[in-house]
Amino acid sequence: MDALDILTDLENVIPYFQPIFSADEQRVIAYEVLGRYRFEGNIISLGPFFLDDQIPDEYKYEVDNLLVKKALELAFELEDDVSIFLNRDADLLMYQHGEPFLQELLAFEKRGMNLKRIVLEISEGRYKGDFAQLDHLLQYYRTYGIKVAIASIDSDTNYFERIGQLSPEIIKINLQALKSNAAAAGFTDVLFSLSLLARKIGATLLFENIEMSYQLQFAWKNGGRYYQGFYLHPPESEFIDRELLKQRLKTKFHEFITYEKRKLEAIYSAAEFFQNKVQDILLKNKKANYEELFGSLIKEMDQIAFRMYVCDEDGFQKSSNIYKSNDGWNTQKEYVQKNWSWRPYFLENIIKMRNERKGILSDLYSDIETGETIRTFSIPINGNDYLFIDITYQYLFDNDQLL
């Protein structure tokens, strides 16, 4: 559609609402407002209109402002605890320093609209302006109770730095990347870091573009509190029953919980298995040196492990690496006296093993040298030293609940 056709037919510019569901309540807790244009019986997305750099900002603002007005008029029908997400491109938000937009919201506040229900979803991917001015404007909006959500990861922006600067109430994560197997592994690693950051700043994770059950499960498992996407419900011109998916979501969450419990039980059983197996070998080799101990371990764990070594409680390696390659087990003496205390959770796990006097099976992680997904079983072997056994990916794959 030509932009002028839309601007001369504003009556047919209408808001659509995509429901956002919460994990804790299993019902609709918000709606995202999306722009649509009604033309000859068809409903057309206004996304291309707002993304077209050839259309002046004042035209975009006029259309967007109309959408906000129409959406908020309808939002009076909703219960007071239902939030409204308003999308704003950063450049459009800065139009006339953001003041006209705020005045529109304040006009609705005078009519009884609590601005704490407004969530301003900012997209900065193409923003070329002054970030300091943008941040100042957003902080100003926050004084009225308006919340800020930052849109999905964009490779053109320093995303983590921006989150740290902005401290949004909501971080929105696009699950489109999960459709590609090649991108999924890297995406999961980035998401783990993002979830830690969100926890630090007190932000809530909202997962969008959920189109399949496994994406909902992924969002649930990775700390998502809010969800939206066609798998749950498409955008519509009217609001839906808040309880529409309550039973369905409860059923899905029960499936996810059951699966995770089985997986955690399998991990617990594996940790017990390694504890008993390795402890038995240690008892039989009380007076053995490290080389003799490794020889006994290799006999019992040749099809399970690919690397073994001993560190003291400060992380200094006291033995060589015993490493399994295609030509068998080899000794890597160059690792003696290397320090591993910088690794995440290393010292925490040492203290835990020392106090509980038993071994630990690590979370899944990517090995620095091989790049493979592995786990490590570590166990105290005397008052000061700790044995580390890296478990092969093949063993984890054969015991798939460990992956």
Side-chain angles (χ1 to χ4, degrees):
M1 290 296 299
D2 186 272
L4 289 177
D5 292 334
I6 295 172
L7 288 162
T8 55
D9 188 23
L10 293 176
E11 183 180 335
N12 283 305
V13 169
I14 56 174
Y16 260 48
F17 303 93
Q18 185 163 35
I20 296 170
F21 297 84
S22 77
D24 43 338
E25 298 183 50
Q26 305 98 50
R27 65 174 184 161
V28 176
I29 51 87
Y31 287 93
E32 179 179 355
V33 177
L34 302 170
R36 297 291 186 265
Y37 179 62
R38 192 165 40 213
F39 179 72
E40 296 182 352
N42 297 314
I43 301 296
I44 302 168
S45 171
L46 286 174
F49 172 85
F50 289 113
L51 292 173
D52 190 340
D53 291 332
Q54 303 302 312
I55 299 175
D57 281 349
E58 56 264 32
Y59 293 170
K60 292 180 182 178
Y61 177 80
E62 183 178 359
V63 173
D64 194 57
N65 195 43
L66 180 62
L67 283 168
V68 169
K69 286 182 177 180
K70 289 184 175 183
L72 293 184
E73 285 289 349
L74 293 170
F76 280 115
E77 304 171 12
L78 296 168
E79 295 178 58
D80 291 341
D81 61 335
V82 178
S83 296
I84 300 294
F85 281 62
L86 301 175
N87 288 300
R88 275 283 157 133
D89 177 87
D91 285 301
L92 197 58
L93 184 67
M94 292 297 293
Y95 178 73
Q96 293 187 10
H97 308 292
E99 192 61 33
F101 176 63
L102 178 60
Q103 292 307 315
E104 290 293 345
L105 296 181
L106 291 175
F108 277 93
E109 183 183 43
K110 289 178 181 177
R111 294 172 54 194
M113 175 72 66
N114 189 339
L115 294 191
K116 290 181 179 180
R117 296 172 60 190
I118 304 298
V119 180
L120 196 55
E121 183 180 326
I122 305 301
S123 175
E124 301 180 342
R126 303 185 305 158
Y127 183 59
K128 299 296 188 290
D130 186 333
F131 278 104
Q133 289 185 14
L134 174 63
D135 292 353
H136 178 75
L137 177 63
L138 293 174
Q139 296 301 338
Y140 178 50
Y141 282 171
R142 278 174 159 154
T143 64
Y144 292 93
I146 298 167
K147 298 181 181 67
V148 174
I150 193 164
S152 53
I153 297 171
D154 190 312
S155 59
D156 293 332
T157 62
N158 192 333
Y159 188 68
F160 287 89
E161 182 180 340
R162 287 297 296 142
I163 290 174
Q165 291 170 345
L166 197 56
S167 293
E169 283 79 10
I170 296 169
I171 300 172
K172 201 167 187 184
I173 300 166
N174 191 332
L175 286 183
Q176 199 75 17
L178 280 187
K179 289 185 174 182
S180 164
N181 289 333
F187 178 78
T188 303
D189 293 338
V190 171
L191 180 57
F192 177 73
S193 300
L194 188 56
S195 65
L196 293 178
L197 177 57
R199 184 180 176 190
K200 289 283 187 183
I201 66 173
T204 297
L205 298 183
L206 189 164
F207 286 81
E208 65 175 337
N209 276 334
I210 296 175
E211 298 179 0
M212 297 180 183
S213 177
Y214 81 91
Q215 291 175 316
L216 178 62
Q217 183 174 9
F218 180 89
W220 173 85
K221 183 179 178 180
N222 285 278
R225 183 181 183 184
Y226 301 144
Y227 318 116
Q228 71 178 128
F230 276 73
Y231 176 74
L232 299 169
H233 207 281
E236 289 188 355
S237 59
E238 298 180 349
F239 303 119
I240 65 171
D241 179 358
R242 294 185 72 181
E243 311 291 328
L244 181 67
L245 297 187
K246 194 172 188 73
Q247 192 54 51
R248 177 182 160 196
L249 287 174
K250 287 180 75 171
T251 300
K252 295 302 293 185
F253 292 157
H254 178 70
E255 291 174 6
F256 302 159
I257 291 166
T258 300
Y259 175 81
E260 279 306 308
K261 281 182 175 179
R262 283 201 304 265
K263 192 167 183 177
L264 290 170
E265 287 289 350
I267 293 169
Y268 178 81
S269 296
E272 287 291 302
F273 167 75
F274 289 126
Q275 173 72 31
N276 294 332
K277 191 177 191 67
V278 175
Q279 189 68 48
D280 184 56
I281 296 170
L282 291 174
L283 289 172
K284 292 177 180 177
N285 290 270
K286 271 187 176 181
K287 298 182 179 180
N289 58 33
Y290 292 143
E291 287 72 21
E292 292 168 338
L293 173 60
F294 290 142
S296 297
L297 287 165
I298 287 169
K299 289 177 184 177
E300 295 291 331
M301 306 186 74
D302 183 61
Q303 300 302 310
I304 298 174
F306 73 94
R307 186 194 291 123
M308 305 176 192
Y309 55 96
V310 173
C311 289
D312 66 19
E313 63 177 24
D314 290 335
F316 286 97
Q317 190 160 328
K318 297 183 69 174
S319 75
S320 302
N321 269 7
I322 307 301
Y323 182 81
K324 186 179 183 180
S325 59
N326 292 333
D327 58 351
W329 288 89
N330 301 293
T331 299
Q332 298 172 314
K333 294 182 179 179
E334 65 271 21
Y335 284 87
V336 176
Q337 282 303 303
K338 288 201 173 185
N339 186 271
W340 307 113
S341 61
W342 54 269
R343 286 179 168 172
Y345 309 114
F346 184 92
L347 293 177
E348 181 181 334
N349 286 339
I350 290 290
I351 298 301
K352 187 174 182 181
M353 285 190 286
R354 190 175 72 186
N355 289 336
E356 297 182 2
R357 298 179 182 179
K358 63 184 295 187
I360 292 175
L361 183 62
S362 76
D363 292 338
L364 290 170
Y365 68 97
S366 294
D367 183 63
I368 292 174
E369 294 187 1
T370 67
E372 288 195 330
T373 299
I374 67 167
R375 290 181 186 269
T376 296
F377 179 73
S378 48
I379 187 171
I381 57 176
N382 56 45
N384 299 305
D385 297 343
Y386 297 81
L387 170 66
F388 293 82
I389 302 173
D390 291 336
I391 311 301
T392 66
Y393 174 80
Q394 186 61 52
Y395 180 84
L396 300 179
F397 180 82
D398 292 341
N399 297 268
D400 62 345
Q401 286 190 314
L402 297 180
L403 280 176

